[in-house]
């Protein structure tokens, strides 16, 4: 669904993404991992259509350059790494913005959609709270509810798979909510949508992701199904420290144990 | 699980009350509209002369007897007081809506046309016309009649905004910090140019300028009102279409873009309409400050920050506030008159401090 060839992005004149070629499929959860500053957020923002790029990048068979913000808003949602509100909106109001951005013409049951989205992220009862007064994790989940309202179904009515972009969706969440939110993302992919998530937690990645893109210094180091990519030498090369990949005995899911810095 | 139960209870206990208020919110806009009309009628009935609006209406619809002073009262009411009150309302609406739009655009409840140099640029345009209008620019101002002042101020506001844009916009994106800082530089520059003009003004021009600078609605006439109306109306009519974009922008430029907002278009339209509304207001009333901060803030306290309600409600509150302030300016020291700018500054200054104190933690960056 997403094809990039020789994708290069410069920020303030510095090359941050250096000639990436990637393919991302609908129906799969693709994780992006790599050290700080390796360009994960930049790649996500490029896929969101925020940044100018050189090279080729097409989504849904069309170059991203030719897609207007309004049409993009109907097909892809983005959860930023964190986001503040300049004014004291209620949680319900903020989630409602997503509804307006995504699907026009179903105002009557807006309240119902908002309530359902809040329920999915475990925030029922928060509808009339001031967003600015929520904790970091609660804000993150409220934003996810907004995004889920914007692209409610993983596949649009015309059969186009939708794209969900998540930048460290579980970084500020407690362990139970990490599992719940990852399960939500997993569900979106299983129902035919495409999910791209920037992840720091390799074990959650192994549990929930289908594919893994490993980045370092703005370049792609390895890409493929999680189980093939997640090996000691690859991870050690990417992160520059000693790691041990094992398998959970009863399920065979890999898990990563940090060993030492060098 | 006691903590969780507690949470649920709070939610449960809160809901009916919130629900009532949310239902009540629907009536706030109509109520504000009624209140605004009432203040305009009130403004038209009070003043240094005791000309009665009620009597005038009675005579005009043929159910009252004209009194001895009827002819004079009629002139006072129709030619002086009514255009002045309506002008006050228009200026109040323009300043409040400009303030609300600017705050949404800059994602800061303290932003204001004054802060970004738009007012400074607009007043430079106005000062040009006031000081050079009889001499160097004579032919031009005579040809433009009552449009000269508001258009010059609009031009000044737009020119300063355009300059701001050239400076603060990079690669198609505007940085708010750059915009605010450029605004400071711009205000200094236009201040210097204004000072330079004042240096060459004669005594009468200086007096005009001083009163204009303190803010006054005294010299209003129907043609001036009409000109101001024509310059302001497009800006006020476009404001409701900015509401969704400004709401989304509250979550940041990236989030607004993700939600399908055309950022550059939103910014251009918002800035042009602010320049027009501010320009016309500055031209007609000089230095009336703080309406653009006070009115939107009051509305946010009562109705919340949703721009779909905030923009119209701020306009109504701003208009009503200014009509009331002008009524006070005309009556407290009657038959003399206080410049209205002194009143709005005296009330708005402390209010501004109060907002600063309340937001101290959040604004201390
Ligand atoms: N606006 C900018 N101008 C110049 N360089 C930038 C800009 N934004 C980011 N960078 C640089 O680009 C590189 C990649 O940044 P990016 O935010 O994509 O990293 P990341 O992989 O998401 O890191 P993290 O794990 O810390 O979130 C970094 O070296 C960063 O310093
Ligand atoms: Mg990042």
């Amino acid at each position: 669904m997403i094809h990039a060839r020789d994708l290069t992005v410069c920020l303030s004149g510095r090359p941050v993404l250096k000639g990436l070629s990637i393919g991302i499929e609908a129906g799969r959860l693709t994780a992006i991992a790599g050290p700080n500053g390796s360009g994960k957020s930049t790649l996500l923002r490029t896929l969101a259509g925020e940044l100018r790029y050189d090279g080729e990048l097409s989504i849904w068979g069309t170059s991203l350059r030719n897609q207007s913000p309004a049409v993009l808003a109907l097909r892809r949602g983005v959860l930023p790494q964190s986001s503040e509100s300049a004014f004291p909106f209620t949680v319900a109001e903020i989630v409602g913005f997503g509804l307006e951005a995504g699907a026009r013409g179903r105002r009557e049951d807006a309240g119902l959609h908002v309530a359902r989205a809040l329920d999915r992220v475990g925030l029922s009862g928060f509808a009339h709270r001031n967003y600015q007064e929520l904790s970091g994790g609660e804000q993150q989940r409220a934003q996810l509810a907004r995004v889920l309202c914007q692209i409610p179904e993983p596949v649009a009515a015309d059969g186009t798979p939708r794209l969900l972009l998540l930048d460290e969706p579980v970084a500020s969440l407690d362990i139970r909510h990490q599992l719940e939110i990852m399960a939500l993302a997993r569900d979106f992919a299983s129902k035919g949508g495409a999910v791209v998530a920037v992840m720091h937690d390799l074990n959650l990645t192994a549990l929930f992701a289908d594919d893994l893109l490993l980045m370092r210094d703005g370049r792609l180091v390895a890409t493929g199904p999680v189980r093939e990519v997640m090996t000691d030498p690859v991870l050690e090369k990417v992160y520059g420290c000693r790691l041990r990949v094992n398998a959970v005995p009863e399920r065979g899911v890999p898990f990563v144990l940090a060993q030492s810095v060098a | 699980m006691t903590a969780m139960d507690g949470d649920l209870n709070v939610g449960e206990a809160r809901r009916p009350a919130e629900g009532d208020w949310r239902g009540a919110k629907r009536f706030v806009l109509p109520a504000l509209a009624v209140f605004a009309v009432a203040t305009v009628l009130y403004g038209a009935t009070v003043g240094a002369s005791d000309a009665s609006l009620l009597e005038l209406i009675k005579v005009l619809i043929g159910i009252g007897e004209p009194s001895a002073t009827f002819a004079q009262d009629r002139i006072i009411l129709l030619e002086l007081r009514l255009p002045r009150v309506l002008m006050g309302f228009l200026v109040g609406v323009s300043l409040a809506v400009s303030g609300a739009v600017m705050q949404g655009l800059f994602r800061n409840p303290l932003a204001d046309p004054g802060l970004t140099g738009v007012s400074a640029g607009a007043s430079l345009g106005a000062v040009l016309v006031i000081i050079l209008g009889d001499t160097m620019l004579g032919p031009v101002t005579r040809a433009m009649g009552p449009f000269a002042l508001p258009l010059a101020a609009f031009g000044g506001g737009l020119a300063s905004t355009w300059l701001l844009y050239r400076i603060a916009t990079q690669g198609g994106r505007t940085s708010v910090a750059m915009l605010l800082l450029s605004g400071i530089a711009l205000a200094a520059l236009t201040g210097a140019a204004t000072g330079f003009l004042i240096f060459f003004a004669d005594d009468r021009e200086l007096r005009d300028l001083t009163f204009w600078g303190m803010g006054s609605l005294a010299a209003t006439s129907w043609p001036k009102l009409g000109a101001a109306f024509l310059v302001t109306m497009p800006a006020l009519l476009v404001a409701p279409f900015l509401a969704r974009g400004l709401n989304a922008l509250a979550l940041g430029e990236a989030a607004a873009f993700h939600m399908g907002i055309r950022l550059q278009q939103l910014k251009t339209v918002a800035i042009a309409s602010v320049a027009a509304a501010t320009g016309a207001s500055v031209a007609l009333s000089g230095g009336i400050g703080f309406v653009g901060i006070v009115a939107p803030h009051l509305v946010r306290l009562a109705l919340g920050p949703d721009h779909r309600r905030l923009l119209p409600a701020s306009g109504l509150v701003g208009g009503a506030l200014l009509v009331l302030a002008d009524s006070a300016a005309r009556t407290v020291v009657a038959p003399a008159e206080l410049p209205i700018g002194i009143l709005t500054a005296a009330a708005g200054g402390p209010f501004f401090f109060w907002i600063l104190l309340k937001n101290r933690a959040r604004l201390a960056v």
Side-chain angles (χ1 to χ4, degrees):
Chain A
M1 188 179 96
I2 301 178
H3 295 281
R5 166 105 60 78
D6 251 341
L7 185 65
T8 300
V9 171
C10 293
L11 293 175
S12 319
R14 267 188 63 226
V16 174
L17 298 185
K18 304 162 188 168
L20 300 187
S21 295
I22 52 179
I24 290 168
E25 296 309 317
R28 297 181 75 82
L29 200 169
T30 305
I32 306 175
N36 292 138
S38 55
K40 305 180 296 295
S41 294
T42 306
L43 176 56
L44 206 75
R45 290 173 60 201
T46 308
L47 296 179
E50 277 178 60
L51 303 175
R52 284 193 197 157
Y53 59 86
D54 290 315
E56 284 168 37
L57 174 57
S58 72
I59 307 185
W60 304 289
T62 318
S63 168
L64 187 59
R65 285 194 191 92
N66 303 333
Q67 305 195 31
S68 77
V71 171
L72 278 176
L74 298 175
R75 291 179 162 181
R76 69 98 181 81
V78 186
L79 181 74
Q81 212 163 339
S82 75
S83 80
E84 299 193 333
S85 168
F87 299 105
F89 286 104
T90 64
V91 173
E93 280 172 325
I94 287 192
V95 176
F97 295 165
L99 208 59
E100 283 169 49
R104 272 148 266 189
R106 33 172 203 188
R107 290 277 154 76
E108 332 79 58
D109 47 4
L112 193 73
H113 285 284
V114 168
R116 196 178 299 153
L118 283 175
D119 203 42
R120 288 183 73 188
V121 299
L123 284 181
S124 39
F126 281 67
H128 304 300
R129 290 274 300 274
N130 177 353
Y131 175 84
Q132 291 175 329
E133 289 166 3
L134 301 188
S135 76
E138 288 164 349
Q139 287 189 345
Q140 184 81 346
R141 277 146 60 204
Q143 292 289 345
L144 183 62
R146 168 176 70 75
V147 176
L148 288 177
C149 270
Q150 185 180 333
I151 45 169
E153 305 89 17
V155 180
D158 64 359
T160 318
R162 289 198 168 105
L163 172 61
L164 180 60
L165 300 172
L166 310 167
D167 198 348
E168 300 189 25
V170 296
S172 48
L173 303 187
D174 62 66
I175 197 152
R176 177 183 141 197
H177 284 113
Q178 289 186 353
L179 293 171
E180 283 185 6
I181 298 307
M182 287 313 294
L184 263 180
R186 173 71 262 162
D187 182 59
F188 192 92
S190 303
K191 289 186 175 145
V195 182
V196 181
V198 173
M199 300 289 294
H200 276 307
D201 187 326
L202 294 173
N203 292 318
L204 275 179
T205 303
L207 269 176
F208 289 98
D210 299 304
D211 296 319
L212 179 57
L213 288 172
L214 282 173
M215 295 182 67
R216 187 186 171 108
D217 275 338
R219 291 180 215 280
L220 204 61
V221 178
T223 175
V226 172
R227 283 174 201 220
E228 290 171 22
V229 175
M230 221 179 242
T231 58
D232 295 359
V234 172
L235 289 183
E236 291 189 353
K237 183 177 165 209
V238 169
Y239 287 100
C241 60
R242 283 194 57 226
L243 299 164
R244 192 64 58 235
V245 181
N246 290 302
V248 178
E250 65 271 29
R251 292 172 60 197
V253 178
F255 72 91
V256 181
L257 207 58
Q259 303 279 296
S260 65
V261 175
Chain B
M1 288 285 94
T2 41
M4 214 162 150
D5 293 340
D7 254 338
L8 286 177
N9 285 338
V10 171
E12 230 54 81
R14 230 180 220 231
R15 225 164 273 150
E18 293 263 353
D20 288 351
W21 174 227
R22 271 178 295 139
K25 275 182 184 175
R26 271 185 297 146
F27 299 104
V28 172
L29 262 184
L32 275 178
V34 172
F35 174 65
V37 171
T39 57
V40 169
L41 289 177
Y42 168 77
T45 54
V46 299
S49 135
D50 53 6
S52 156
L53 182 72
L54 196 64
E55 192 200 319
L56 179 77
I57 293 174
K58 275 185 183 165
V59 173
L60 286 184
I61 61 174
I63 57 166
E65 284 299 306
S67 67
T69 56
F70 178 71
Q72 193 195 337
D73 286 357
R74 183 190 157 113
I75 291 179
I76 289 180
L77 280 170
L78 291 185
E79 295 304 316
L80 298 175
R81 213 182 272 165
L82 208 54
R84 174 173 184 163
V85 170
L86 290 177
M87 180 70 94
F89 190 71
L90 182 66
V91 167
V93 171
S94 304
L95 289 175
V97 172
S98 309
V101 169
M102 204 121 239
Q103 285 146 27
L105 190 64
F106 288 167
R107 314 180 58 231
N108 186 328
L110 297 176
D112 180 72
L115 279 179
T116 54
V118 177
S119 296
S123 57
L124 178 60
V127 169
L128 264 174
V129 168
I130 291 177
I131 291 183
L132 301 178
D134 289 342
T135 51
M136 257 169 75
L137 299 176
V140 186
T141 52
R142 267 192 297 280
M144 294 205 292
F147 285 97
L149 204 58
L151 281 183
F154 170 52
L158 209 58
S160 48
T161 317
W162 179 78
L163 237 171
L164 277 178
Y165 231 76
R166 294 302 309 238
I167 298 170
T169 304
Q170 242 188 353
R173 282 165 208 269
T174 308
S175 132
V176 167
M178 278 298 284
L179 209 54
L180 288 172
L181 291 173
S182 317
I184 294 174
L186 208 76
L189 259 180
T190 51
T194 308
F196 188 72
L197 280 171
I198 289 174
F199 188 72
F200 289 106
D202 64 26
D203 282 352
R204 189 186 57 78
E205 289 161 356
L206 270 185
R207 223 187 96 80
D208 283 357
L209 203 66
T210 311
F211 271 90
W212 173 82
M214 284 191 287
S216 169
L217 296 162
T220 306
S221 61
W222 286 109
K224 273 192 187 176
L225 178 61
F229 185 77
L230 287 180
V231 174
T232 327
M233 230 352 95
L236 296 181
L237 287 180
V238 86
F241 297 98
L242 301 174
R244 187 172 93 83
L246 294 178
N247 278 345
L249 198 59
L251 303 185
E253 295 196 359
F257 171 77
H258 298 152
M259 289 190 276
I261 304 298
R262 286 176 186 277
L263 285 174
Q264 218 46 47
Q265 180 185 320
L266 173 72
K267 290 176 183 176
T268 309
V269 174
I271 285 183
S273 61
V274 164
T278 309
S281 307
V282 166
L284 289 149
S285 57
I288 297 181
F290 296 108
V291 179
I293 295 226
V294 172
H297 199 82
L298 288 176
V299 174
R300 267 187 221 105
L301 284 180
L303 290 180
D306 188 335
H307 288 86
R308 280 166 300 191
R309 284 189 298 258
L310 178 69
L311 294 176
S314 299
L316 291 172
V317 169
L321 275 182
L322 211 60
V323 169
L324 291 179
D326 185 51
S327 305
R330 287 185 287 126
T331 49
V332 283
V333 292
E337 189 175 297
L338 275 177
I340 186 177
I342 294 182
L343 279 181
T344 59
F351 190 89
F352 193 75
F353 271 123
W354 176 65
I355 302 178
L356 280 179
L357 277 177
K358 233 179 40 154
N359 293 298
R360 194 160 44 170
R362 232 161 51 79
L363 294 167
V365 237

